[in-house]
Amino acid sequence: MPESMLLAAAAGAVAGALAVGVVILLRRIVVTSKDLGTDVEQATYQTLHLASRAAKHLRGGIAEGDATRAGRHLRALLGCETLALVDPAGHVTIEGDDAVREVAGRLAAEARASNRPQLQRRIRIGDRETDVVAAPIIAGGAPAGAIVAFAPRVRAGLVRATGEVADWVAAQVELGELDASRAALAEAEVRALRAQISPHFIYNSLNAIASFINTDPAKARDLVLEFADFTRYSFRRHGDFTTVAEELRSIDSYLKLERARFGDRLKVTLQIAPEVLSTVVPFLSIQPLVENAVRHGLEGKEGGGRITIEASDLGAFAEISVEDDGVGIDPDALERALAGAATGQHVGLRNVDARLRQVYGNEHGLVVETNVGAGTLVRMRVPKSQPGRVAAASTAPGRTPASPAPAGTEGRRER
């Protein structure tokens, strides 16, 4: 075969191989593009992603939140050249060219004053001209700031988008205010539970301590320390959450003070699974159940009675129950009390129930079994794994650290 024909055949083979490679490459590009979704799907994902990233920086409000980081995502969301967030006090946060600060502040003030978007064209900034649109952020019916977008040419789409983003920012600010209101409500409920430590209980405890000063000084000293530990824990000012072990420690102090008054008329049985001692629970969520059992269950029963405290490991959940064999509660009266219709009655139960539902959902409210003359059983179930919830330590200064829970918590123990 002539040499020229061999060269031609080789060239053809190479060209064919290249063609096949190009076809394979193009096919892979097409397949990959399909895997990523259509253009519309990708644009939707990008929009949602940017909105999600910005939202977490806006819950504290434009003034307190990280407006700089939020502005970065909002600027990408609008696709504008420069973006400004202006808080209710007129402070301007710029994402982009800082030279627009004065213009942004002025136009934002006009938007807030009119409660309508403002558009200006061909504004000179340094050696260039730009268009600008400002939209007010209205949260709760009141101006909460403004968002200002700069672009070489502001079209109708950007005007509408800026208004929509301003409405979305307002919704985030309102959600942040709602979160703050819920936190304030939770704190108010804790204060109400602290108020349950009535002067009557304090008077009785101090009377019981005084009765032992001459006859048994060592016991009187121990009761004073228990009283100090109990009140210090109940009135601490930090931490919305604690552990089962910490609550049981406080309950132990409370019951020692009550037994100094009741004597053998108050009997206590504990059955605590060690696996649940580290479970995080809302502060003052178990202790009020025990106080309710003593005050409303046994105090009015001739001859006293028994309180049984159990904490069981149910896998992903911990179940805590407090039972008394006291006088019981009328179910209709209890229902009204839990609904808040009967003021002054069983405030501790009502507040604990409301806080559990707020933290974990309605399915985790208190379960109460009771009737007149039949005693009362109160159960609560909480998840053992609660990411993001930290329990505050409350070791009493000057005291030897207590055991993880009251003595005899492994297995069943009568006291």
Side-chain angles (χ1 to χ4, degrees), residues 1-17:
M1 183 179 294
E3 186 176 348
S4 59
M5 293 181 66
L6 291 173
L7 290 174
V14 171

Coordinates of all heavy atoms in Angstrom, one line a residue, residues 1-17:
M1 N 0.9 -1.2 0.0 CA 0.0 0.0 0.0 C 0.9 1.2 0.0 O 1.8 1.3 0.8 CB -0.9 0.0 1.2 CG -1.9 1.2 1.3 SD -2.9 1.1 2.7 CE -3.9 -0.4 2.4
P2 N 0.6 2.2 -0.8 CA 1.4 3.4 -0.9 C 1.4 4.1 0.4 O 0.4 4.1 1.2 CB 0.7 4.3 -2.0 CG -0.1 3.3 -2.8 CD -0.5 2.2 -1.8
E3 N 2.5 4.8 0.7 CA 2.7 5.5 2.0 C 1.6 6.6 2.2 O 1.1 6.8 3.3 CB 4.1 6.2 2.0 CG 4.4 6.8 3.4 CD 5.8 7.4 3.4 OE1 6.6 7.1 2.5 OE2 6.1 8.1 4.4
S4 N 1.2 7.3 1.1 CA 0.2 8.3 1.3 C -1.1 7.8 1.7 O -1.9 8.4 2.5 CB 0.0 9.0 -0.1 OG -0.4 8.1 -1.1
M5 N -1.5 6.6 1.3 CA -2.7 5.9 1.7 C -2.7 5.6 3.2 O -3.7 5.7 3.9 CB -3.0 4.7 0.8 CG -3.3 5.1 -0.6 SD -3.7 3.6 -1.6 CE -5.2 3.1 -0.9
L6 N -1.5 5.1 3.6 CA -1.3 4.7 5.1 C -1.5 6.0 5.9 O -2.2 5.9 7.0 CB 0.0 4.1 5.3 CG 0.2 2.7 4.7 CD1 1.7 2.3 4.9 CD2 -0.7 1.7 5.4
L7 N -0.9 7.1 5.5 CA -1.1 8.3 6.3 C -2.5 8.8 6.3 O -3.0 9.2 7.3 CB -0.2 9.4 5.7 CG 1.3 9.2 5.8 CD1 2.1 10.3 5.0 CD2 1.7 9.3 7.3
A8 N -3.2 8.6 5.2 CA -4.6 9.0 5.1 C -5.5 8.2 6.1 O -6.4 8.7 6.8 CB -5.1 9.0 3.7
A9 N -5.2 6.9 6.1 CA -5.9 6.0 6.9 C -5.7 6.3 8.4 O -6.6 6.3 9.2 CB -5.5 4.5 6.7
A10 N -4.4 6.6 8.8 CA -4.1 6.9 10.2 C -4.8 8.2 10.6 O -5.4 8.3 11.7 CB -2.6 7.1 10.3
A11 N -4.8 9.2 9.7 CA -5.5 10.5 10.0 C -7.0 10.3 10.2 O -7.6 10.8 11.1 CB -5.2 11.5 8.9
G12 N -7.5 9.4 9.4 CA -9.0 9.1 9.5 C -9.3 8.5 10.8 O -10.3 8.8 11.4
A13 N -8.4 7.5 11.2 CA -8.6 6.8 12.5 C -8.6 7.8 13.7 O -9.4 7.8 14.6 CB -7.6 5.7 12.7
V14 N -7.6 8.7 13.6 CA -7.4 9.7 14.7 C -8.7 10.6 14.7 O -9.2 10.9 15.8 CB -6.1 10.5 14.5 CG1 -6.1 11.7 15.5 CG2 -4.9 9.7 14.7
A15 N -9.1 11.1 13.5 CA -10.3 11.9 13.5 C -11.5 11.2 14.0 O -12.3 11.8 14.7 CB -10.5 12.4 12.1
G16 N -11.6 10.0 13.7 CA -12.8 9.2 14.2 C -12.8 9.1 15.7 O -13.8 9.2 16.4
A17 N -11.6 8.8 16.3 CA -11.4 8.7 17.7 C -11.8 10.0 18.4 O -12.5 10.1 19.4 CB -10.0 8.3 18.1

